[in-house]
Amino acid sequence: MVDIYSFCKKKLLWIIFIFFLGGCATVPKKIIWQDATEVAMNSFKLKTGDIIVKNKLWNEPISWGGHCGVMINNFEIGDYPKIGINFYSLPSYDWLMERGRKVVVLRYDKFNDKFKKYFEKNAIEYSKGTYLLTLNKFSTNHFYCSKYVWFLYYKTGQDMGYNLNIDSDGGYMIFPYDFLNSKELHQVLI
């Protein structure tokens, strides 16, 4: 008989191992990290669809892969933050007010009014999932922070009739730092 504790412990260690390896993507030299509180003070400049990537904090293992959220409208950031907490949205100012944290704001060049209409619909529709680190990035039932962001763009592209993949390395899992190297996104200084 399998000891449930040992089984769960092994699975958790594998997930942490995969997460750590995938979350160690290199940061391109052209990226400029901004102070999160300064971006919060200028959050009125953020637009629907903007992706905010937070830096990694090495003293907090949960943040070794970085973190990200997405503007689900012009005022709120949508996020699947961590195990035990499913989707939530916060005013962008509140989400960004984390002293000592650095962020990068990324924007999709082809984000027009038609794209925005589908994007906002999808942001609501896929906010009903549960938090789970999964290797199936096409699943619509389980999300984590960067998978939610990736899936919103992927699904909106599908709705518009084209393939859109903002994941720079095309792996099974999407990590926040994968967006930094995406050819579809550019940095916006706020």
Side-chain angles (χ1 to χ4, degrees), residues 31-125:
I31 293 295
I32 299 168
W33 290 92
Q34 295 181 269
D35 183 72
T37 54
E38 287 180 30
V39 174
M41 299 304 238
N42 292 296
S43 60
F44 62 91
K45 296 179 182 178
L46 295 168
K47 296 180 179 182
T48 303
D50 283 354
I51 300 167
I52 297 99
V53 177
K54 290 183 175 180
N55 67 318
K56 300 173 186 185
L57 297 175
W58 296 109
N59 61 339
E60 294 181 27
I62 192 117
S63 111
W64 285 352
H67 189 66
C68 68
V70 65
M71 295 293 294
I72 56 172
N73 57 47
N74 286 338
F75 310 103
E76 295 176 299
I77 295 177
D79 186 9
Y80 277 86
K82 60 185 174 182
I83 295 170
I85 301 176
N86 295 326
F87 177 87
Y88 74 91
S89 64
L90 284 174
S92 56
Y93 179 86
D94 294 338
W95 193 87
L96 286 160
M97 283 304 291
E98 192 172 348
R99 296 199 185 282
R101 201 77 187 253
K102 300 290 186 185
V103 297
V104 172
V105 179
L106 301 168
R107 191 169 285 162
Y108 178 53
D109 290 329
K110 299 174 185 165
F111 204 103
N112 57 28
D113 288 338
K114 184 177 179 185
F115 193 94
K116 181 179 180 179
K117 183 179 107 182
Y118 285 109
F119 185 89
E120 288 178 333
K121 176 187 77 73
N122 288 328
I124 293 167
E125 184 174 340

Side-chain angles (χ1 to χ4, degrees), residues 3-42:
D3 176 17
I4 256 319
Y5 175 76
S6 295
F7 177 78
C8 291
K9 185 177 173 182
K10 285 179 187 177
K11 290 293 182 191
L12 181 61
L13 288 173
W14 270 110
I15 288 171
I16 290 170
F17 178 72
I18 290 169
F19 187 71
F20 182 71
L21 284 180
C24 290
T26 58
V27 178
K29 292 180 182 167
K30 64 183 176 189
I31 293 295
I32 299 168
W33 290 92
Q34 295 181 269
D35 183 72
T37 54
E38 287 180 30
V39 174
M41 299 304 238
N42 292 296

Side-chain angles (χ1 to χ4, degrees), residues 99-154:
R99 296 199 185 282
R101 201 77 187 253
K102 300 290 186 185
V103 297
V104 172
V105 179
L106 301 168
R107 191 169 285 162
Y108 178 53
D109 290 329
K110 299 174 185 165
F111 204 103
N112 57 28
D113 288 338
K114 184 177 179 185
F115 193 94
K116 181 179 180 179
K117 183 179 107 182
Y118 285 109
F119 185 89
E120 288 178 333
K121 176 187 77 73
N122 288 328
I124 293 167
E125 184 174 340
Y126 297 104
S127 67
K128 297 169 180 68
T130 56
Y131 185 99
L132 181 68
L133 290 173
T134 174
L135 295 176
N136 181 0
K137 63 184 175 183
F138 299 101
S139 163
T140 59
N141 298 321
H142 306 293
F143 294 95
Y144 50 94
C145 68
S146 45
K147 180 189 169 200
Y148 176 69
V149 172
W150 175 85
F151 190 81
L152 287 182
Y153 274 90
Y154 170 79

